């Protein structure tokens, strides 16, 4: 405990440790997960009152500060972590401002249609939600305490507590130069959790599971997924453990349908499938106005995901439809539906890659000489 891994020597089948030791292995499971993405300016991140939320200690520190009744809490980012922090602040009757660079909360995970519902929910519970803006700088006082945030629209917010909720960073730095397909996206592996080397060839003795794993899912056209959900870590760990101790003919594929849930502003939000793998959405049942409904996502005429607001009991039913490649929209033709029950665009955000942390170059001409090389940029 307390000794990090610093490198991996595949030919020698050893994990190098930061204290100079090495651990030999017959089978290796890489499950180094993720860490909270820090605020972009180190000096500002070090201000008293600036928090991230990932570990037990992070939670305890934030809980202690909220118990002191700060004048206003600033939440930077309106994904699931940011939204749940905002919900907790309002439950404590604390003023809270949420800053989100996108058009609405949860857009990156659930699309614009459900994002608009989440925005209304936050504002109805007294959240000062500001979308389409970013935080440029965090300002401290002479004693190193947070006092103010400057926004991209020229406004400022006085605050003494800021929670940075800008997603996670996968813990792959220690694998640079290892020969594995590891980078900002995670560690590439097959559906049996076997890691890929840098050439995209599966290894025999190195396995991956949890937040750090990037794997192809047959339900989603074999596109590679990296899922930061507790349930995925559990089910993938079971598959990896089984495959590490069994011969290839007896190994299992990781085919679990992704499931996650969130509780915020008095609503239980549960999702099954991959909502981002969709081009349309329909409110299949319930009432959006009452915040009790199921939204079903579709891609090229089949159901790919469903999200329920206080309708969790229906998600197992929709999971069966996803796994059976049931047609979208479910069980009826769109022309027979009233206007508010017809499929509309899911309004998924643009997925263009903006930042390249790693580039693969291919060398050689003859097939026997062709090799890939991972070039990391800082």
């Amino acid at each position: 405990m307390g000794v990090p891994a610093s490198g991996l020597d595949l030919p020698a089948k050893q994990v190098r440790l930061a204290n100079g030791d090495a651990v030999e292995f017959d089978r290796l499971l890489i499950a180094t997960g993720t860490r909270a993405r820090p605020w972009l300016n180190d000096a500002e991140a070090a201000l008293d009152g600036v928090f991230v939320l990932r570990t037990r200690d992070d939670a305890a520190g934030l809980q202690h500060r909220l118990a002191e009744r700060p004048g206003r809490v600033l939440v930077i980012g309106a994904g699931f972590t940011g939204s749940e922090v905002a919900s907790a602040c309002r439950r404590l009757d604390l003023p809270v401002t949420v800053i989100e660079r996108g058009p609405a909360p949860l857009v990156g995970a659930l699309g614009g249609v459900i994002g608009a519902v989440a925005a209304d929910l936050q504002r109805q519970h007294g959240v000062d939600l500001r979308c389409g803006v970013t935080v440029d700088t965090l300002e401290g006082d002479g004693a190193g305490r947070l006092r103010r945030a400057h926004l991209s629209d020229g406004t400022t917010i006085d605050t003494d507590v800021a929670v940075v909720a800008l997603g996670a960073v996968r813990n792959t730095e220690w694998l640079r130069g290892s020969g594995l397909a590891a980078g900002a996206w995670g560690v590439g592996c097959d559906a049996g959790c076997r890691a890929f080397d840098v050439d995209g060839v599966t290894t025999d003795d190195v396995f991956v599971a949890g937040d750090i794993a990037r794997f192809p899912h047959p339900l989603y056209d074999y596109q590679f997924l990296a899922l930061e959900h507790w349930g995925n870590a559990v089910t993938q760990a079971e598959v990896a453990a089984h495959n590490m101790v069994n011969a290839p003919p007896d190994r299992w594929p990781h085919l679990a349908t992704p499931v996650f849930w969130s509780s915020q502003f008095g609503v239980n939000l549960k999702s099954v499938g991959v909502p981002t793998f969709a081009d349309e959405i329909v409110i299949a049942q319930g009432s959006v106005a009452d915040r009790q409904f199921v939204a079903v996502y579709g891609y090229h005429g089949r159901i790919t995901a469903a999200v329920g607001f206080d309708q969790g009991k229906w998600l197992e039913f929709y999971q069966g439809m996803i796994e059976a490649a049931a047609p979208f929209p479910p069980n009826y033709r769109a022309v027979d539906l009233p206007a508010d029950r017809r499929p509309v665009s899911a309004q998924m955000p643009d997925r263009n890659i903006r930042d390249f942390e790693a580039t693969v170059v291919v060398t050689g001409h003859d097939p026997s000489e062709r090799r890939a090389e991972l070039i990391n940029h800082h």
Side-chain angles (χ1 to χ4, degrees):
M1 300 296 291
V3 180
S6 60
L8 172 62
D9 186 337
L10 280 179
K13 300 185 76 170
Q14 290 183 339
V15 173
R16 297 192 298 271
L17 305 184
N19 64 4
D21 291 342
V23 179
E24 296 183 351
F25 64 86
D26 297 305
R27 297 282 192 275
L28 172 66
L29 176 65
I30 298 173
T32 47
T34 62
R35 62 187 184 275
R37 187 179 300 279
W39 182 240
L40 51 90
N41 182 296
D42 291 342
E44 295 173 10
L47 290 171
D48 181 25
V50 178
F51 293 85
V52 294
L53 184 57
R54 178 71 185 183
T55 68
R56 181 192 299 262
D57 289 342
D58 293 337
L62 179 59
Q63 182 183 41
H64 176 76
R65 187 58 63 92
L66 296 182
E68 295 177 346
R69 310 293 303 174
R72 176 166 294 276
V73 177
L74 173 67
V75 178
I76 307 173
F80 284 102
T81 298
S83 297
E84 291 179 9
V85 169
S87 175
C89 289
R90 291 308 301 141
R91 191 168 61 248
L92 296 170
D93 198 28
L94 294 173
V96 58
T97 296
V98 175
I99 303 299
E100 167 56 42
R101 69 182 302 167
L106 308 180
V107 167
L110 302 179
V113 173
I114 300 303
V117 177
D120 288 343
L121 186 65
Q122 291 200 15
R123 290 186 172 117
Q124 288 170 3
H125 283 80
V127 174
D128 174 24
L129 175 63
R130 306 190 192 186
C131 298
V133 296
T134 59
V135 175
D136 284 342
T137 59
L138 297 174
E139 177 187 339
D141 62 14
R145 294 184 294 262
L146 176 66
R147 283 294 173 263
R148 191 169 294 110
H150 297 266
L151 307 186
S152 60
D153 61 2
T155 61
T156 60
I157 296 174
D158 291 332
T159 181
D160 43 9
V161 173
V163 180
V164 179
L166 297 176
V169 179
R170 293 181 174 87
N171 295 318
T172 59
E173 292 87 351
W174 69 284
L175 291 168
R176 286 185 176 178
S178 67
L180 292 183
W185 56 82
V187 181
C189 65
D190 67 9
C193 302
R194 295 183 301 170
F196 293 139
D197 67 16
V198 71
D199 292 315
V201 177
T202 53
T203 59
D204 291 325
D205 302 319
V206 180
F207 294 76
V208 196
D211 293 4
I212 199 172
R214 184 170 180 264
F215 64 98
H217 202 302
L219 281 177
Y220 299 99
D221 292 354
Y222 294 91
Q223 290 193 24
F224 281 80
L225 305 177
L227 302 173
E228 298 172 15
H229 309 325
W230 176 85
N232 179 72
V234 172
T235 55
Q236 195 169 37
E238 292 174 347
V239 171
H242 174 88
N243 291 348
M244 290 173 76
V245 298
N246 279 277
D250 298 321
R251 288 176 176 170
W252 299 340
H254 176 51
L255 300 179
T257 304
V259 176
F260 72 89
W261 64 275
S262 174
S263 181
Q264 47 188 272
F265 304 101
V267 172
N268 180 265
L269 192 159
K270 189 172 183 180
S271 168
V272 61
V274 181
T276 54
F277 192 88
D279 51 14
E280 290 186 299
I281 188 174
V282 64
I283 304 302
Q285 59 193 77
S287 166
V288 173
D290 294 338
R291 302 293 183 258
Q292 291 185 326
F293 64 92
V294 176
V296 177
Y297 293 77
Y299 180 73
H300 290 184
R302 67 180 177 89
I303 297 174
T304 56
V307 172
F309 276 54
D310 277 346
Q311 294 288 300
K313 64 183 179 181
W314 285 101
L315 271 294
E316 184 176 351
F317 168 76
Y318 285 104
Q319 179 176 340
M321 298 185 75
I322 294 166
E323 293 174 352
F328 177 89
N331 296 332
Y332 38 64
R333 294 188 304 146
V335 294
D336 297 329
L337 296 172
D340 63 347
R341 299 285 180 174
R342 294 175 185 169
V344 297
S345 169
Q347 300 176 26
M348 289 299 167
D350 183 7
R351 293 296 180 185
N352 290 337
I353 298 175
R354 296 176 176 84
D355 299 305
F356 294 89
E357 179 168 319
T359 301
V360 173
V361 297
V362 177
T363 60
H365 300 283
D366 187 88
S368 64
E369 299 173 345
R370 298 281 279 176
R371 293 293 184 270
E373 182 181 356
L374 193 59
I375 307 298
N376 290 288
H377 300 282
H378 301 281

